[in-house]
Amino acid sequence: MSTRYYDVIVIGGGIVGSTIARELSRYDVRVAVLDKASELPSGASRANSGMVHAGYDDKPGTMKAYFCPKGNAIYRSLYEELDFTLNKVGSYVCAFAEEEIAHLNLLLDQGRKNGVPSVEIISGDELRSREPNASKEIIAALWAPTGCIINNFEAVLAFMDNAQQNGVELFLETEVLDVLLSQGEKQVVGVNTNKGMFLAPIVINAAGVHSDRIARMVGDESFVIHPRRGDYFITDKYVGNLVKSFFFACPSEAGKGITVASTADHNLLMGPTSIFQVDRDKTATTAEGLKQVIEGARRLIPPIPVNMAITTFAGLRADPDTGDFVIGILKKPHGFVNVAGIKSPGFTSAPAIAQHIVERIKDELKDLVEFKPNRKFVPERKHIPRFAYLTMEERSALAEKDPRYAQIVCRCESVTEGQVVEAIRRGARTVAAVKIWTRAGAGRCQGGFCGPRVMEILARELNIPMEEVTRHGGHSRMLVGKTKEYWFRGSDHE
C-alpha cells in the first residue's frame, strides 16, 4: 500500500469534517478527509431532523449555546453561495400545561442571552391561527423565527464539494486503524488505515460516534461517547403541508423530544426517539420506537395520517459524557485536535465550530504548518440541477443542451438520467449515493421503479458489471447474478 503525504488529515466526512475541510481549503495547505463510509453524508449527518436550530435550547456559557446561533447565521448567509436548500420557516416549542409555560420562559430567557433574535411566547390560539392543524391542547408556544429546515444531504455535499473544488482530497471507504506518533509519543505524524498510511503533522478527530475511540489511540481518555438512537418516520409529500414550521414539545432530560416538520423537500418528518444503545453502528428501527414517534407526533399535530408513511429510518447521535461539545487541541501529542461529541445542535453549530477550530489551529499549531491564503479559493459551487423544481422553459433548455435531461429515471421525484450521470461524475459510486445527490429513490415507491435504471446507469458509467453495483459499498450488492443462471444451477439441467 502506498504512503500519502499531507499537512492536515481530517478523520470523518460528516457535517463537522466537511465544514472544517472547506475552511481549511481557504489556505494553501494539503488536506485529506478520510471516512470509512462509501458515500457522504453518513452517520448522524445523514439521519437527523434537518433542523437549523435558533439557539435557545442550551444553557448560556456552554459551547452549544455559543456556537448554535452563530452556525444558524452562517447557514442563512451561505445557502445561496453553496447552493443547498434551506427554508426559513421558524420553529415552535409547545406547552400543554401551565407548568410547562415556566419552561418556555426559561427557553425565552436563554435565547435572549444566547443572542437569538426575535424569540417570543405566543398563545395557543395565535399558534393555531398560523398553523391550523396544531393540537387544541397546546396552550402556549415559544416562537423562534430564525429556525430553518435544511436539506442536510445537500449541505454536507455542498461543503465537501466546494472543499474538493479548492484542492481538498476525499477518501471514502478508508477506515483509520491507528494514529501514528513519533518516538516518545509527543508528536502526531499521521494515521494508518485499511488503504495504507496517510502522513501529516496535524490530525483532526471529527469521527462522530467513534471519536472517543480515535482519541484513545493517542491516549486521550477525557470523554466517552454514548450512542443515542433516534427513530423517524417520513410520509408522502401529499401530507407535507400539514405544517409550515418545525414543531417541538417541551424538552425533557432525554432531549428535545418528538418533533414534526415539513422537510426541505416537502415530506412530513416525525421523530426522533432518544434511546441509548451500546452498538455504534446498528441503525435499525424498532416497533416500540416507531410507536413512540407516532404518539408524540400526533400529540402535536393530531391529523397526521400514519398510512401515508413511505419509509422509516434511525440515526445515532454522538452523546458525550461531558454534556457539551468536546473541542480542543491536545498539548500531547502535539498536532492532535478533537472536534467530538457534536450532538444536537451539532449540525447547526458545525460551520461556526469549523471557523473557530481552524483559527485556533492557525494560531496554536503554526509551528507545524504554515497557513498561507489560497489565492485561488472559489467560495461558490452549484448543485446538480434540481429538475423537479425547474420551469418548463428551464427544463427544455437543459434537455436541449444535454438530451439525457429529457429522460426521466425516477418518476416520484422527477429525476432525470442527466442528473444521475452528473452525480456519478461528482463521485457517486453506489445506489445510495445517487439517491443522496439526486433524490432518485426517495419518493413514494422508494426506488421500486427507478432502482433498476439507476443500477444500469451506474454500471454503464463506471464500466462495471451490474452484479458489482452496490447499495452502500462493500458487500451490499444489489444483484448476485442472472435469474436464468441460478435457475439452471438448481435444476436437473446442470
Side-chain angles (χ1 to χ4, degrees), residues 291-340:
K291 179 182 178 183
Q292 184 181 337
V293 169
I294 291 298
E295 291 173 351
R298 281 182 158 171
R299 184 174 180 236
L300 290 163
I301 311 294
I304 291 173
V306 181
N307 64 334
M308 295 299 285
I310 60 174
T311 192
T312 63
F313 66 93
L316 296 181
R317 286 157 277 178
D319 197 351
D321 62 350
T322 61
D324 203 355
F325 299 151
V326 180
I327 301 171
I329 301 174
L330 297 189
K331 292 183 178 179
K332 183 181 178 183
H334 192 45
F336 189 85
V337 183
N338 276 321
V339 189

Side-chain angles (χ1 to χ4, degrees), residues 380-392:
E380 305 89 3
R381 56 80 74 172
K382 293 296 291 182
H383 194 67
I384 295 171
R386 301 172 181 86
F387 193 81
Y389 297 104
L390 300 179
T391 65
M392 289 305 297

Side-chain angles (χ1 to χ4, degrees), residues 181-209:
L181 304 177
S182 63
Q183 289 185 350
E185 300 186 346
K186 293 181 179 180
Q187 169 67 52
V188 166
V189 296
V191 297
N192 187 30
T193 77
N194 61 320
K195 299 286 184 69
M197 288 194 295
F198 291 75
L199 300 184
I202 299 174
V203 171
I204 301 174
N205 173 20
V209 293

Side-chain angles (χ1 to χ4, degrees), residues 135 168 201 205:
S135 171
V168 171
N205 173 20

Side-chain angles (χ1 to χ4, degrees), residues 189-228:
V189 296
V191 297
N192 187 30
T193 77
N194 61 320
K195 299 286 184 69
M197 288 194 295
F198 291 75
L199 300 184
I202 299 174
V203 171
I204 301 174
N205 173 20
V209 293
H210 298 283
S211 54
D212 57 343
R213 293 181 173 179
I214 299 295
R216 273 155 184 69
M217 293 178 183
V218 299
D220 178 18
E221 300 184 2
S222 62
F223 65 98
V224 176
I225 296 296
H226 299 289
R228 192 189 282 267

Side-chain angles (χ1 to χ4, degrees), residues 187-411:
Q187 169 67 52
V188 166
V189 296
V191 297
N192 187 30
T193 77
N194 61 320
K195 299 286 184 69
M197 288 194 295
F198 291 75
L199 300 184
I202 299 174
V203 171
I204 301 174
N205 173 20
V209 293
H210 298 283
S211 54
D212 57 343
R213 293 181 173 179
I214 299 295
R216 273 155 184 69
M217 293 178 183
V218 299
D220 178 18
E221 300 184 2
S222 62
F223 65 98
V224 176
I225 296 296
H226 299 289
R228 192 189 282 267
R229 193 185 79 245
D231 298 344
Y232 291 88
F233 269 105
I234 290 281
T235 73
D236 203 342
K237 291 184 178 183
Y238 292 104
V239 293
N241 61 1
L242 279 176
V243 298
K244 303 184 198 72
S245 302
F246 214 106
F247 277 75
F248 298 88
C250 275
S252 67
E253 291 183 0
K256 297 179 176 69
I258 305 300
T259 61
V260 179
S262 178
T263 70
D265 293 287
H266 312 297
N267 301 88
L268 193 72
L269 177 138
M270 298 169 279
T273 53
S274 184
I275 303 167
F276 278 121
Q277 64 180 45
V278 176
D279 194 309
R280 298 179 185 233
D281 297 301
K282 185 178 179 181
T283 56
T285 57
T286 66
E288 181 182 353
L290 295 175
K291 179 182 178 183
Q292 184 181 337
V293 169
I294 291 298
E295 291 173 351
R298 281 182 158 171
R299 184 174 180 236
L300 290 163
I301 311 294
I304 291 173
V306 181
N307 64 334
M308 295 299 285
I310 60 174
T311 192
T312 63
F313 66 93
L316 296 181
R317 286 157 277 178
D319 197 351
D321 62 350
T322 61
D324 203 355
F325 299 151
V326 180
I327 301 171
I329 301 174
L330 297 189
K331 292 183 178 179
K332 183 181 178 183
H334 192 45
F336 189 85
V337 183
N338 276 321
V339 189
I342 313 298
K343 63 163 288 190
S344 182
F347 201 101
T348 305
S349 303
I353 292 172
Q355 290 182 0
H356 167 83
I357 202 65
V358 170
E359 285 299 313
R360 285 190 59 184
I361 289 170
K362 284 169 54 186
D363 181 53
E364 298 177 37
L365 299 179
K366 58 188 175 185
D367 61 313
L368 299 178
V369 174
E370 184 178 5
F371 286 85
K372 293 181 179 179
N374 178 3
R375 300 190 184 281
K376 296 181 180 180
F377 177 76
V378 177
E380 305 89 3
R381 56 80 74 172
K382 293 296 291 182
H383 194 67
I384 295 171
R386 301 172 181 86
F387 193 81
Y389 297 104
L390 300 179
T391 65
M392 289 305 297
E393 291 77 11
E394 290 170 330
R395 293 182 182 188
S396 297
L398 198 59
E400 190 172 337
K401 291 181 180 178
D402 184 346
R404 291 174 296 189
Y405 279 93
Q407 302 298 319
I408 295 293
V409 171
C410 173
R411 291 179 180 178

